[in-house]
Amino acid sequence: MESCLTSAVHRFLEQSVFSSAVFLAERLVAENSSESNVGLLAQAYYRSGDGHRAISLLQNGVHSPSNKYLLALCCYEAGRLAEAESALIQTKYDGKNHGNEVEDVPNGAAGLYLMGCICRRAGRIEHAIQYFTASLKEDPFLWSAYEGLCELGCEVPPEEFFGHSAREAINMQTLAKAKMQESNSKSKVELPRKTTPAKGKKAMSRTYTEKDRPTKLRQTTIHQELEETKTPSKPQYSSTCSSEQLVLKLLHDYGSAFQALSLFRCETALQLFKNLPQKQRNSGWVLHQIGRTYFEMANYTKAARIYQTIRENEPHRMSGMAVYSTILYHLKQEVNLSYLAQQVTDFDKRSSEAWFVAGNCFSLQKEHDTALTFFQRAIQLDPCFTYAYTLCGHEYAANEDFEKAIGCYRHAIRMDPRHYNAWYGMGTIYFRQEKFELAEYHFRKAIAINPQSSILYCNLGMVLHAVERNNEAIAALEHAQRLQPLNPTARFHKAKVLVAQGRYEEAHQELEFVQNAAPKESSVHFLLGKVAKKLGRIDDAMRYFNNALFFHPKDNHLIKAAIERLHEEDRDENEESLVA
Amino acid sequence: MESCLTSAVHRFLEQSVFSSAVFLAERLVAENSSESNVGLLAQAYYRSGDGHRAISLLQNGVHSPSNKYLLALCCYEAGRLAEAESALIQTKYDGKNHGNEVEDVPNGAAGLYLMGCICRRAGRIEHAIQYFTASLKEDPFLWSAYEGLCELGCEVPPEEFFGHSAREAINMQTLAKAKMQESNSKSKVELPRKTTPAKGKKAMSRTYTEKDRPTKLRQTTIHQELEETKTPSKPQYSSTCSSEQLVLKLLHDYGSAFQALSLFRCETALQLFKNLPQKQRNSGWVLHQIGRTYFEMANYTKAARIYQTIRENEPHRMSGMAVYSTILYHLKQEVNLSYLAQQVTDFDKRSSEAWFVAGNCFSLQKEHDTALTFFQRAIQLDPCFTYAYTLCGHEYAANEDFEKAIGCYRHAIRMDPRHYNAWYGMGTIYFRQEKFELAEYHFRKAIAINPQSSILYCNLGMVLHAVERNNEAIAALEHAQRLQPLNPTARFHKAKVLVAQGRYEEAHQELEFVQNAAPKESSVHFLLGKVAKKLGRIDDAMRYFNNALFFHPKDNHLIKAAIERLHEEDRDENEESLVA
């Protein structure tokens, strides 16, 4: 009777007929409340979206690894982190070996990964890294663990996980699975298809020797292999290259690229993503990452083009839309952003990214309160949406509610200490409040995370200039300029520092560059005028001031005053305020 | 490569590591977007809670039965009924056989069940019954289909599905499954454990011959068998009784009981539920049904006791709490109801039943607007929560907003034409509006669904009395009395009719009964006084009027007036208003 009920429950779970699965599983448990039957019922509750019930059922005491895992999973999804953790590692307190915690986590790679997620959400980064690493060592296909590691800023090379040692891990894992299957006969193990083609393959020497070659070269070989295995005319390759090995190579390439992006090595990331096999490169996930890379490089036009392709190929893909909307915001493309917001919120009202897009849309239209509402709705739908907290902070900052803005940024940083945008946000607020030391501290924090960002160095330079550490300021601004040679902002600020230092000729040179790049920028003409006057070129100064007036018809009393005093000597005490 | 990715995706789905399953499935589809790979990716989207994406992916055209089923399932869960239906039966338009629709539905019993659900929600009751029946014929373990049939008022005896023909169905199903497995190699089929013990069993003759015995007797035999198969000392039974046969017997017993309750044959249902094997009888689901049965019998005290047991055994069980709260409402147990509302809303904020309980709690405290808010929240969480619509109607009625109340009742009836409570609600409103014909129509509708309800007959009697069809009224009230001999309401209303007919002695007799059952009811004493006066027993009348005054210290001008006019002759034209 039990066997018949059990198989029926499995059948209905398989077919997602949850009501029948739950009913029959309840009958099964009424017949015999064995641990495995209770586990099956809990699984049915969980699958039917009733995690709370699964917790209640399981928390009376479970012993099998799969039940402990399920309990922990349900607790984690319900946000009950402490319970989730104790469900997984309770063995430590009643078990025999008090050694490495990692060894005590039940349910193999999935259990370790879950522990990693729990630690990450609880802010215990070191533990999270430890568990994610252990999880990947046990099952190198568990990509999310590697993603987690990258997002936490881990720099372990992907060879560590997807290289030659992974092969051994797979064997170990097969063994462990088999053992688990014995102890928990209810869990279905799906290995046959995977292990069968791998059997009898010993010719792994190719990969072993390849390990020391430079990355670029090895990758080419990998892709050659990938291509070659598809061609039936070259059987010697397809027979030496097992299915797993091919997947591991693919994961290795994905991993290298994703890690580079996570460490904000954008040029490298771009190259690695573009080196992926053609088929993979055009998939939504890869395009999203390439788009994100351009975004981090502040190359918004290219980034927008990539996301537009994603919209065309996969209109149902929500992940990435948050970034896309921020790109459209930076490009000030109101119409496109409105259209996107309309589309994604129509598509799925329960998607946090959709409401994030709507928030960006209203922010661009300077409707900051509405924008706040939408960002907060995004957070309600996904309480771990770090970026939404940061943009809430930006909105509060726009409303000059600095206290609330800082609260939001702090929240974002608590959730993800590597979210440099929040550190940047705090820096800008302290800068506006003239708390320059704090501003410097936060900009330097952001730079430590993303050392390739021109805008961060630019801001740091402005802070250093404000506290009159002008040489350091110039160094920072020059670094910013190197990182993004086409963006004139760094040069402009450098010119300001040079003016403050009395280095008018150099300032003039810089400003000439800036003027060519941004010919309609009133402040550039104004500063040029100031510099020309200092250099005694009064006619030039007049021309510059007039240009400044032309491009800035409103709020022009400063310019007019400068024109009026064109033939007077500059008073030094007034200097700073004019330049600032 | 594909086989390896496929097995990894299955593994991570099995372990609920959805992020990795989705990532790898996307890689798989990027490699080769075959129908089965796309199906696996859609499955991963669906399992990770992203049904919308699964729809987008699949709606570009799917052919395999499992993919059609998944598409239909996702559409159904998203409330897109028409799309769900066309996903399942699109074969009809491009296929060869235009015969029976049932034959065209893909994915076997689960597909048919889903079609049944779609038709049911679309209000096409006949089609729903047809599909549920076909589904059960194919897989008699698909209990939800039987539940659906019962809830739709179907009277097909459970023998039809769980009797001797089910054995054949199982064989057919095994065959069909095997066929499906061929056509769709990705779907996991879990039959071995079920089919193995059944093989080589032909001694089904016991069940065949038993079929004509009376129910009671057959059930005892079934339970004997159930017990005996557990005892290893009687091997001849356990060998003749296969695992499936035992489960089918159990489902048969469950089915009989549930059907009886669905048809409001409460006494029978109670007996059948109590006849279930001890272990099963104490399970939460059975206790809930027994509690519901007592509730339908208006035996609220016993019902409350049953639900109290459920709360103690399974505090996490939400289903049934709606009924329980209505019971506590009828018992006016404010404290218990408040406590329950607190507990269940704390336990799961996203449970529709929890907010239903809260609604009942506030309704009992006459805070009808708050109650409405909570009932509406329950509806928001579960748009198919018929009972919540009805109680919304009751709240609007309490606020005398009859139009909105009728809207709610209509909505409830549209969703479930067998929800007699909504028909009753409409009847009471028309009665209050003195639209007696409409009131009669709706009460009769309710009675047709639940002919065992005393309160419905009672209301019908009142309506008939109001239109002076007094003999019919008395018949209805006497029927109500027979259905629930201990409830004095029917007798009281009968007495009123008798008074109207001038049958004072009979009325007096009835009222004496009522007075004994409800000695503190002012209106009974008042009517007794009226009758005594008619019979010329002025002293008795005075005593009754004084009692009426004693138990109804407020709003007593009617009684005082009666006392003052005790020695005057009754004016006939005033008669009705005094009695009413």
Side-chain angles (χ1 to χ4, degrees), chain A residues 274-285:
Chain A
K274 289 189 172 170
N275 279 346
L276 285 173
Q278 182 73 31
K279 287 177 186 174
Q280 297 289 339
R281 197 169 64 218
N282 292 333
S283 68
W285 192 88

Side-chain angles (χ1 to χ4, degrees), chain A residues 456-466 472-474 476-477 497:
Chain A
L456 291 179
Y457 274 102
C458 210
N459 276 277
L460 178 65
M462 286 157 69
V463 172
L464 293 170
H465 174 42
E472 289 174 69
I474 284 180
L477 289 166
V497 182

Side-chain angles (χ1 to χ4, degrees), chain A residues 252-271:
Chain A
H252 171 277
D253 295 355
Y254 268 96
S256 317
F258 189 76
Q259 186 177 53
L261 173 55
S262 299
L263 297 170
F264 300 102
R265 294 168 189 161
C266 295
E267 289 289 357
T268 315
L270 210 52
Q271 203 48 52

Side-chain angles (χ1 to χ4, degrees), chain B residues 94-155:
Chain B
D94 58 62
K96 310 111 214 170
N97 60 355
H98 283 255
N100 190 356
E101 273 189 16
V102 168
E103 278 171 22
D104 296 324
V105 175
N107 212 37
L112 290 165
Y113 171 66
L114 182 57
M115 266 306 287
C117 293
I118 294 166
C119 291
R120 185 182 178 184
R121 206 185 283 178
R124 285 150 50 198
I125 305 295
E126 284 312 310
H127 282 133
I129 289 176
Q130 186 186 345
Y131 284 115
F132 283 150
T133 306
S135 163
L136 265 179
K137 291 272 180 205
E138 202 156 324
D139 186 347
F141 296 113
L142 218 160
W143 168 260
S144 311
Y146 189 73
E147 246 187 49
L149 281 178
C150 289
E151 284 163 0
L152 293 173
C154 203
E155 296 194 41

Side-chain angles (χ1 to χ4, degrees), chain A residues 562-574:
Chain A
I563 293 173
E564 281 165 21
R565 288 184 286 113
L566 191 55
H567 296 280
E568 299 168 24
E569 193 67 15
D570 283 333
R571 278 159 301 170
D572 263 1
E573 64 274 18
N574 214 13

Side-chain angles (χ1 to χ4, degrees), chain A residues 15 20 107 144 188 190 254, chain B residues 20 27 107 144 188 190:
Chain A
Q15 300 281 335
S20 289
N107 213 37
S144 311
K188 291 169 286 176
E190 296 267 321
Y254 268 96
Chain B
S20 289
R27 304 290 70 71
N107 212 37
S144 311
K188 291 169 287 175
E190 297 267 321

